[in-house]
PDB file of all heavy atoms in Angstrom:
ATOM      1  N   PHE A  45     -50.593 164.349 217.336  1.00 90.00           N
ATOM      2  CA  PHE A  45     -50.977 165.761 217.407  1.00 90.00           C
ATOM      3  C   PHE A  45     -52.066 165.981 218.450  1.00 90.00           C
ATOM      4  O   PHE A  45     -51.975 166.897 219.262  1.00 90.00           O
ATOM      5  CB  PHE A  45     -51.457 166.254 216.040  1.00 90.00           C
ATOM      6  CG  PHE A  45     -51.892 167.688 216.059  1.00 90.00           C
ATOM      7  CD1 PHE A  45     -50.950 168.704 216.040  1.00 90.00           C
ATOM      8  CD2 PHE A  45     -53.231 168.024 216.114  1.00 90.00           C
ATOM      9  CE1 PHE A  45     -51.342 170.029 216.073  1.00 90.00           C
ATOM     10  CE2 PHE A  45     -53.640 169.346 216.139  1.00 90.00           C
ATOM     11  CZ  PHE A  45     -52.697 170.360 216.123  1.00 90.00           C
ATOM     12  N   THR A  77     -52.261 146.468 205.448  1.00 89.00           N
ATOM     13  CA  THR A  77     -50.902 146.029 205.125  1.00 89.00           C
ATOM     14  C   THR A  77     -50.769 144.522 205.289  1.00 89.00           C
ATOM     15  O   THR A  77     -50.196 143.843 204.445  1.00 89.00           O
ATOM     16  CB  THR A  77     -49.880 146.734 206.031  1.00 89.00           C
ATOM     17  OG1 THR A  77     -50.026 148.144 205.882  1.00 89.00           O
ATOM     18  CG2 THR A  77     -48.458 146.349 205.677  1.00 89.00           C
ATOM     19  N   GLY A  84     -50.623 138.874 198.793  1.00 74.00           N
ATOM     20  CA  GLY A  84     -49.615 139.135 197.779  1.00 74.00           C
ATOM     21  C   GLY A  84     -50.060 139.923 196.628  1.00 74.00           C
ATOM     22  O   GLY A  84     -49.649 140.012 195.584  1.00 74.00           O
TER      23      GLY A  84
END
Side-chain angles (χ1 to χ4, degrees):
F45 179 78
T77 303

